[in-house]
């Protein structure tokens, strides 16, 4: 799997964590630096003012805007590993023992 690259410019993407329906308003809010709730309210007002014609733009944006990359899955310990379930060892040796001998 390839690592996501960091770009020096803003990208218009649908987030995976801030969505009500498809993430279009959340993505627009992040892109323009506005609260996504304000974008949702503005979209609802625009839909009312235009008699519902603005509602046609939402599915178009849903199809055109790419989805944000999902975060990598966490690495879980392998139960087949012999060290599984054991406390991590300290740099000095055995857990609970000091790293230098006490005189």
């Amino acid at each position: 799997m390839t690592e996501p690259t960091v770009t020096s410019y803003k990208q218009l993407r649908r987030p995976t964590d801030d969505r009500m329906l498809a993430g279009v308003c959340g993505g627009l809010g992040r892109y323009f630096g506005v609260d996504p709730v304000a974008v949702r309210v503005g979209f609802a007002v625009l839909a009312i003012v235009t008699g519902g014609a603005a509602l046609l733009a939402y599915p178009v944006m849903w199809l055109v805007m790419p989805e944000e990359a999902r975060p990598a899955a966490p690495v879980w310990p392998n139960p087949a590993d012999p060290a599984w379930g054991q406390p991590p060892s300290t740099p000095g040796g055995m857990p609970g023992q000091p790293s230098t001998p006490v005189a």
Side-chain angles (χ1 to χ4, degrees):
M1 178 177 240
T2 61
E3 294 292 323
T5 58
V6 178
T7 58
S8 61
Y9 54 89
K10 295 191 299 185
Q11 292 183 338
L12 181 58
R13 298 194 177 272
R14 293 183 296 120
T16 56
D17 59 346
D18 185 20
R19 53 172 59 178
M20 295 291 285
L21 183 62
V24 171
C25 293
L28 288 171
R30 285 185 183 181
Y31 184 78
F32 291 113
V34 181
D35 188 17
V37 175
V39 176
R40 290 179 185 115
V41 170
F43 189 75
V45 169
L46 189 64
I48 292 170
V49 169
T50 61
L55 293 177
L56 297 174
Y58 195 88
V60 171
M61 289 187 288
W62 186 352
L63 292 173
V64 172
M65 287 174 61
E67 190 172 34
E68 185 174 77
R70 296 190 185 272
V75 178
W76 297 101
N78 185 0
D81 185 14
W84 188 73
Q86 302 295 324
S89 62
T90 58
M94 296 298 292
Q97 291 183 345
S99 59
T100 58
V102 178

